[in-house]
Amino acid sequence: MAKGDFRIRKTLSERFHMKIQKSDNSDCWIWIGAKKELGYGVIGLGHRGDGTAKAHRVAYELYIGKIPDGMSILHSCDNPSCVNPDHLRAGTLSDNSRDCVKRQRNFIPDNRGERATWAKLSETSVKHIRLREMTGVKYAALYNVSKSAIYEIWRGHNWASL
């Protein structure tokens, strides 16, 4: 910047409101700015060193008030991109877990054995490995896995569900 030039930095509230899309089809205010894990919006808090915050938490503080210590901000609409303060409430992690179970969002996939997307071995191959007819090195070469994977099967640490 040249001497005498200055920029007026937008406030957090101004920047926040630039990144909301209010839909005609829904009461949700959709965050159209940057998003992090699981679709939650994120916004910078000001200067570079100030860090970031999740957008729904910023919405709560802008419209409702300070978030009580140790509290989470929960969505009544089940939409992580929503920042409508009417859809937000403070609650504990236990409250959040109860909501999760009540709304049937607590599905935990069964990734044991060959159901795991990364599985290199089948149940048949593991049964063969457990026969110990060869060395671990030979089994590893045969099934294109590490020696330690073979040894962990022999110890019962891997494929324990079989």
Side-chain angles (χ1 to χ4, degrees):
M1 272 191 272
K3 188 175 183 180
D5 287 348
F6 64 94
R7 286 188 242 170
I8 298 175
R9 182 179 294 272
K10 288 183 169 55
T11 66
L12 178 60
S13 177
E14 289 169 330
R15 290 184 296 108
F16 175 85
H17 287 93
M18 292 170 53
K19 299 176 188 214
I20 296 173
Q21 181 178 6
K22 294 181 183 177
S23 172
D24 294 334
N25 304 337
S26 165
D27 290 336
C28 290
W29 298 0
I30 303 302
W31 182 256
I32 58 173
K35 293 183 181 175
K36 279 202 162 191
E37 70 279 348
L38 305 175
Y40 289 94
V42 64
I43 186 170
L45 294 175
H47 298 283
R48 187 169 300 226
D50 295 340
T52 61
K54 288 188 176 174
H56 66 286
R57 292 179 65 85
V58 172
Y60 186 94
E61 291 204 338
L62 288 173
Y63 284 90
I64 298 170
K66 183 175 175 0
I67 299 171
D69 288 342
M71 297 296 268
S72 297
I73 300 303
L74 314 180
H75 288 85
S76 64
C77 59
D78 268 348
N79 183 349
S81 296
C82 179
V83 294
N84 183 341
D86 292 339
H87 296 185
L88 305 174
R89 67 179 172 83
T92 64
L93 288 175
S94 294
D95 295 333
N96 198 26
S97 293
R98 273 191 294 278
D99 284 355
C100 185
V101 169
K102 183 171 70 176
R103 295 173 183 162
Q104 297 180 340
R105 289 184 286 109
N106 62 324
F107 172 75
I108 299 171
D110 182 2
N111 285 329
R112 291 179 294 173
E114 59 190 38
R115 288 182 292 275
T117 56
W118 55 86
K120 291 185 176 181
L121 300 171
S122 66
E123 288 186 9
T124 303
S125 60
V126 171
K127 288 176 183 176
H128 181 232
I129 291 166
R130 286 187 176 154
L131 293 174
R132 295 185 184 219
E133 296 173 332
M134 296 187 261
T135 66
V137 173
K138 287 186 180 178
Y139 277 123
L142 177 64
Y143 292 112
N144 193 29
V145 296
S146 67
K147 289 183 299 185
S148 63
I150 302 301
Y151 301 142
E152 291 298 300
I153 290 169
W154 286 347
R155 286 186 192 105
H157 295 164
N158 285 357
W159 288 80
S161 62
L162 181 61

